[in-house]
Structure formats: C-alpha cells, structure tokens
Amino acid sequence: MRPFEYARAGEASEAVSLGGRFIAGGTNLLDLMKLQVETPDKLVDITRLPMRDIEATDDGGLRIGALVTNSDLAADKRIRDDYPVLSRALLAGASGQLRNKATTGGNLLQRTRCGYFYETSQPCNKREPGSGCGAIGGFNRIHAILGTSDKCIATHPSDMAVAMQALEASVETLKADGSTRTIPLIDFHRLPGDTPEIETVLEKGELITAVRLPKSLGGTQIYRKVRDRASYAFALVSVAAIVKMKGGEIEWARLAFGGLAHKPWRDTAVEDVLKGQAPSRALFDKAADALLAEAKGQGENDFKIPLARRTLVSVLAEATQGA
C-alpha cells in the first residue's frame, strides 16, 4: 500500500483550497488506487459538502448537485417524468449497490475500462504518456471506432453522460482561485489527440459542483444499450435518442452515443439528416451513414460499425413509430 494524506472538506471553498484528488463515492478511484494505476498523494473527502439536492431552475430546468447519487437521480419523479432518457441510462449502468454510492460528478469523471490502462505492466499512453497504446494491434474488442488517434483508442464508460449529452446538459464548477464557470457538456470531455491522459477541460483543483439540465422539450426519449450481458456490463454501443415529431415528419432529433468514442459522442450532422424528413428505413440508413462516415475499426472491434448502424436504425424506428 502506498501512503497518502486524507483531508475532509466542510465547504466547497475549503475543498478546492486543500489541494489533492477529490473523492466522493469512490466507485472508480478506489479501484484504480488498489491497482496502483493512480497513486494520489492526498485525497480530499467531499462527501460532507451540501451538493445533494435536485432543484428547479428559473428557466424550467433542473440543477443536480454533484453529490446526488445515481440511484436518487434515477428515482427522482421529475427526472422520470421529464427526462426519462436519463433515468433509463442511469438504471442501465453498474449495479444497484454501486448506483447507491456513485455520484453525478464522479460519474462524469469515470476513467476508461481499457484493460491496458488497468494493467500496469502493459503500455498505455493514458496511464504513462509516451509508453504506447497496447490496444492498437492488441485486444481491442471494446474500443473506440470514432474520434480516435494513434495514441489512444479507449472509450468513455459512462451511460449517464451519454443521456446528458443528448439533453444538452452543462457542468458547473468551482476553480481553485474561487471563480466559477459553466461548461457545456459537449465541450467538457476531450478527444485523445496527442494527450490522451488529459480527459476533460477541468483545470487542476477544479471541482464539479452541479450539472444543469435545460427545460425538457418533451419528445420520445429512448436509451438503448447493447452489451455482452444483461446487467453490470459496459456498452458496446449505446444510443440516447430524443425525437420530436410534427405532422408526420421529424421536427428535430438529438442523438448521443456511447461505446464508440473517447467521450460521449454527439454529431449534429446526424441530426441534420433527420430534421424535417418523413421517417423511413432509407432515411435512417442515411443518418447512420453520417454517423459512421469516419468510423475506423481496429480488427477485433470492427463489428461495432454494423452494430452501431443496426442499433441507431432500430432506435429511430421505435422513436418514430406510428408517425
């Protein structure tokens, strides 16, 4: 065991002033520490901070405290009624026990489940920059087909973040200097590029305090997760879809995807294909063409390309059924 310092914060301002890694539910960080993938010198416990409320906002949306657990968020009546895609995504993730501990802020900061990242004897640019990517040319069945680089092909594991991407959520933070900012979720996670070890736009010591959801626009909301087993498995492909119909045509659609990229993936060009069109299999295939135009398999994960197509087509057919 590697020794580390532990501190408990009573206020958010104290937490960012203490320095160190923040810990709340610990459902990811503690695993990484046990394997010595991460070896922080100091942990700052933020579980006593007043961030466990889900509050209505003036614009008709919701403000979700960073420490709201996945279980409480999924069960909230406002989420189930107005943002069902989020509730379904949360319930598709992990297990009941983990959802009882995992927090909203921590879920956004989950690190990849790539086996090369977790195995410290193997090369991984995310864990040790410059060491190489073992997954390229290695075992890469669960890996990304979109937005990759020659440095990393890992995927982001969150279900919750995929639904929040479709809902156009934003992230509130508190910086170490006491200033605050609000970051659109679409800009929050980074693609790997040449620096896969930098996964978000957060600065050192910056704390997530809440996530904001805009006013619900209704529509048919679906979360479809394709995985190797029925529970406690990460997505091979997932789709969060919100589709609004009008007069037999798709008025607008918002689509986000998991299991395909280094971040929760949203490509508005896919949505533009659908806007103002009558639903049909040909149209859905055209949307899938837009999604997968730059998809690149790595051998063992080549199957994800046709799987993503079939999943998207199926979700769109369900969302426009009866139009």
Side-chain angles (χ1 to χ4, degrees):
M1 178 178 175
R2 292 178 181 247
F4 58 88
E5 185 181 349
Y6 171 85
R8 180 183 295 169
E11 298 290 341
S13 57
E14 181 185 8
V16 296
S17 69
L18 285 170
R21 288 293 304 279
F22 303 123
I23 186 167
T27 57
N28 189 201
L29 179 57
L30 291 180
D31 284 343
L32 294 171
M33 290 176 66
K34 291 173 186 176
L35 295 171
Q36 297 192 9
V37 175
E38 293 201 29
T39 55
D41 295 323
K42 183 176 185 179
L43 292 183
V44 178
D45 185 339
I46 61 171
T47 55
R48 269 70 172 179
L49 302 187
M51 300 178 182
R52 296 186 180 274
D53 294 328
I54 304 173
E55 305 167 309
T57 58
D58 292 340
D59 61 0
L62 291 177
R63 183 179 186 273
I64 304 161
L67 294 178
V68 173
T69 67
N70 288 181
S71 291
D72 287 345
L73 184 58
D76 188 272
K77 188 176 187 301
R78 293 164 293 184
I79 297 294
R80 290 187 287 113
D81 289 349
D82 297 332
Y83 308 93
V85 66
L86 178 55
S87 182
R88 292 166 186 164
L90 286 161
L91 294 174
S95 65
Q97 294 90 336
L98 286 171
R99 292 195 296 269
N100 288 341
K101 291 292 290 182
T103 62
T104 298
N107 191 298
L108 291 176
L109 297 177
Q110 285 186 86
R111 307 203 70 187
T112 185
R113 264 52 180 194
C114 172
Y116 295 93
F117 174 68
Y118 272 76
E119 178 48 69
T120 56
S121 67
Q122 296 294 314
C124 174
N125 288 318
K126 184 179 289 294
R127 188 187 66 251
E128 185 180 346
S131 63
C133 176
I136 297 177
F139 181 67
N140 51 47
R141 182 174 180 273
I142 67 170
H143 287 69
I145 59 172
L146 293 171
T148 60
S149 74
D150 60 0
K151 299 294 191 297
C152 183
I153 58 171
T155 55
H156 194 275
S158 175
D159 291 289
M160 182 197 79
V162 177
M164 286 186 169
Q165 190 77 277
L167 291 167
E168 298 188 335
S170 57
V171 181
E172 295 182 1
T173 69
L174 175 66
K175 293 185 180 183
D177 63 5
S179 63
T180 62
R181 63 172 172 162
T182 300
I183 308 164
L185 186 59
I186 197 168
D187 299 325
F188 182 79
H189 296 98
R190 291 166 46 108
L191 291 177
D194 292 329
T195 55
E197 73 278 10
I198 305 174
E199 298 173 345
T200 72
V201 298
L202 291 179
E203 299 175 4
K204 185 177 181 180
E206 191 169 6
L207 174 69
I208 296 175
T209 55
V211 173
R212 280 184 175 263
L213 298 179
K215 181 179 179 180
S216 174
L217 297 178
T220 299
Q221 300 188 19
I222 297 172
Y223 187 75
R224 179 80 56 82
K225 181 177 182 178
V226 182
R227 46 188 163 175
D228 285 323
R229 55 182 183 269
S231 67
Y232 199 53
F234 296 100
L236 296 171
V237 175
S238 66
V239 180
I242 308 172
V243 179
K244 185 69 175 292
M245 301 296 296
K246 183 178 181 180
E249 295 182 344
I250 300 171
E251 184 177 4
W252 53 260
R254 291 180 185 164
L255 302 166
F257 303 85
L260 300 183
H262 196 261
K263 60 184 286 185
W265 189 262
R266 185 179 177 201
D267 183 351
T268 56
V270 183
E271 300 165 10
D272 291 342
V273 169
L274 300 168
K275 187 175 181 180
Q277 302 296 314
S280 69
R281 174 58 192 265
L283 177 66
F284 302 157
D285 277 330
K286 187 176 179 181
D289 289 341
L291 170 67
L292 299 167
E294 298 184 8
K296 178 184 178 182
Q298 298 288 336
E300 292 181 342
N301 70 345
D302 290 352
F303 74 95
K304 282 194 175 188
I305 297 175
L307 179 61
R309 173 179 295 276
R310 292 195 301 270
T311 305
L312 175 58
V313 168
S314 175
V315 167
L316 290 174
E318 180 180 347
T320 58
Q321 189 174 13

